[in-house]
Amino acid sequence: MSRYTFTSESVSEGHPDKVCDYISDSILDACLEQDPQSRVACETLCKSDHVVLAGEITTKATLDYDTIVRQAVKEIGYTETSEPFCDTTLKLLSLITKQSPQISQGVTAATSQSGDQGAGDQGIMFGYATDESPEMMPLPILLAHKLTKGLTDDRKAGTVNWLRPDSKSQVSVLYEGNEPKEVTAVVVSTQHTTAADQKTITEYVREVLGPRTLGSWWNNTLQLHVNPTGDFSLGGPAADAGVTGRKIIVDSYGGMGRHGGGAFSGKDPSKVDRSSAYFCRFVAKQVVASGLAKRAEIQVGYAIGMARPVSVKVETFGSGDERAAAEFVMNAFDFRPRAIVERLDLLRPIYRNTTNYGHFGRTGLPWETVEKAAAVAR
């Protein structure tokens, strides 16, 4: 039996990169609320007291970027006027243009060479599912998200008044024969007020946060590192620059499943690096739920402007009947961009709800549903 330790990390919504992801997805949702056919590729950069928007947006929606950005920053929790990065005092620069007509003609069904809605870009996308947790997610990233979400919940509820928005977590899990056995190490780094010292923060993590969020996976023998530098009172965009799309492994499977390299946030569903990655996750879940494999990974590749993928691959890592799984996938699922959008009902303002604590493994998202095999088969 193979024996190894696997580690994944999570970051909170106050992390500078996640601030940018949330702003980009807030702009996307504002477009889709008014115009479901909006074409959006919105990038955000934040540093000190500045937010910079860049990218391409073609929409019939009327947008107030200033209001959208400030509201997003306020919801995250950067509201202290004494700090450089604050919702009411930040400075905004917008460098948004319209989508390139040469991309548009390949995506739009009426003008594409395929005669169907084409992929918004070339690229490869992956989806992954495993039976090692009820959420069909790898345990290390699932537990890491629980820790950062717990930090945010306690901060916003006011139960821990020295917590501040920026934080990270890391969880190491021991596997034997590809089965998770125990958590061996936890790292928590959280921004705090100057009133809190490392001892106070460590006691909170050890006695409150860890046991509550990790449940039976928490144990008193694991290695625990809390704010290892000793001080994390300066955080967020005041301390570090943030950019949309830099946390793609945090957003997906924590490194356990492969990633094609394309970021998710700020992109409408015509961008297959978002919509197809969601669909690949959906398909992988159906493979595992059907009992065809204990673990499944789906890869799909696209050419820009073309509707049908250039390749679809099913991998079960020796955990099931790979041939039967591949036949199931090819018979039951349509990977064309328009079919994906229709099947998952993606032209809705749902994307601000995906930004933080993982795009996968959470209830309420259409790609997280499990359908009966009879329902998904054509």
Side-chain angles (χ1 to χ4, degrees):
M1 293 177 65
S2 60
R3 193 171 190 268
Y4 59 92
T5 300
F6 197 92
T7 302
S8 296
E9 73 157 344
S10 174
V11 298
S12 72
E13 59 204 63
H15 185 282
D17 293 332
K18 277 293 151 192
V19 171
C20 294
D21 285 347
Y22 192 62
I23 290 172
S24 293
D25 276 337
S26 295
I27 290 171
L28 170 61
D29 276 1
C31 290
L32 295 177
E33 284 173 359
Q34 300 179 50
D35 178 11
Q37 301 302 320
S38 296
R39 301 277 174 80
V40 180
C42 181
E43 312 289 343
T44 303
L45 178 148
C46 67
K47 175 56 183 168
S48 298
D49 61 346
H50 281 76
V51 171
V52 179
L53 304 179
E56 300 77 45
I57 297 178
T58 299
T59 183
K60 296 177 182 177
T62 301
L63 302 176
D64 182 344
Y65 291 122
D66 189 82
T67 298
I68 296 169
V69 169
R70 294 183 192 279
Q71 179 62 28
V73 172
K74 180 180 180 180
E75 289 172 3
I76 293 168
Y78 286 109
T79 58
E80 295 290 335
T81 56
S82 60
E83 298 292 331
F85 191 73
C86 173
D87 66 315
T88 58
T89 60
L90 64 82
K91 301 176 182 67
L92 176 65
L93 173 63
S94 177
L95 303 174
I96 301 290
T97 62
K98 291 187 177 181
Q99 184 180 63
S100 163
Q102 294 175 343
I103 295 176
S104 178
Q105 73 180 13
V107 176
T108 304
T111 57
S112 72
Q113 294 189 52
S114 66
D116 196 352
Q117 178 178 329
D121 201 352
Q122 73 172 51
I124 55 175
M125 297 86 213
F126 290 91
Y128 182 82
T130 172
D131 70 352
E132 70 187 63
S133 69
E135 296 86 351
M136 296 191 191
M137 287 290 289
L139 191 64
I141 187 65
L142 187 68
L143 297 181
H145 285 321
K146 288 180 182 294
L147 286 167
T148 50
K149 181 63 164 58
L151 287 166
T152 297
D153 289 344
D154 285 350
R155 172 175 62 86
K156 290 187 172 181
T159 55
V160 183
N161 59 17
W162 44 258
L163 284 170
R164 289 298 178 261
D166 192 1
S167 63
K168 290 183 175 183
S169 70
Q170 191 170 281
V171 175
S172 301
V173 175
L174 173 67
Y175 283 79
E176 293 181 355
N178 293 321
E179 297 290 334
K181 294 300 181 181
E182 67 173 327
V183 174
T184 59
V186 167
V187 182
V188 173
S189 296
T190 181
Q191 186 187 6
H192 56 88
T193 67
T194 55
D197 57 23
Q198 189 177 22
K199 181 176 182 292
T200 298
I201 301 168
T202 300
E203 288 177 352
Y204 157 71
V205 174
R206 180 186 293 116
E207 298 174 12
V208 179
L209 178 72
R212 189 186 79 236
T213 58
L214 269 56
S216 62
W217 289 105
W218 181 263
N219 66 80
N220 293 326
T221 63
L222 57 79
Q223 299 179 54
L224 178 62
H225 302 278
V226 179
N227 285 11
T229 66
D231 189 1
F232 190 3
S233 56
L234 181 61
D240 192 9
V243 181
T244 297
R246 283 205 298 200
K247 287 293 176 282
I248 59 176
I249 302 303
V250 171
D251 286 345
S252 53
Y253 308 102
M256 185 74 79
R258 285 177 284 193
H259 196 295
F264 301 150
S265 290
K267 299 177 181 179
D268 76 86
S270 72
K271 311 297 189 296
V272 285
D273 37 8
R274 183 170 210 167
S275 57
S276 184
Y278 289 171
F279 193 62
C280 286
R281 161 66 174 172
F282 173 75
V283 174
K285 287 193 71 171
Q286 312 314 309
V287 171
V288 173
S290 69
L292 290 169
K294 294 173 67 65
R295 293 190 294 152
E297 183 180 76
I298 311 297
Q299 187 212 44
V300 62
Y302 291 92
I304 187 170
M306 304 306 293
R308 295 193 178 278
V310 298
S311 66
V312 177
K313 183 179 184 299
V314 180
E315 172 70 63
T316 61
F317 308 96
S319 70
D321 188 336
E322 196 160 288
R323 180 181 293 274
E327 290 177 354
F328 170 65
V329 168
M330 298 311 297
N331 289 331
F333 302 98
D334 187 341
F335 287 84
R336 292 175 302 153
R338 183 175 62 177
I340 291 172
V341 168
E342 291 175 352
R343 184 154 189 170
L344 298 182
D345 193 14
L346 296 180
L347 296 179
R348 297 176 289 152
I350 60 174
Y351 298 99
R352 297 167 86 246
N353 295 327
T354 70
T355 313
N356 296 301
Y357 314 111
H359 290 244
F360 308 121
R362 294 161 50 210
T363 59
L365 302 175
W367 48 90
E368 289 300 315
T369 58
V370 173
E371 301 178 354
K372 294 180 180 179
V376 296
R378 290 190 193 132

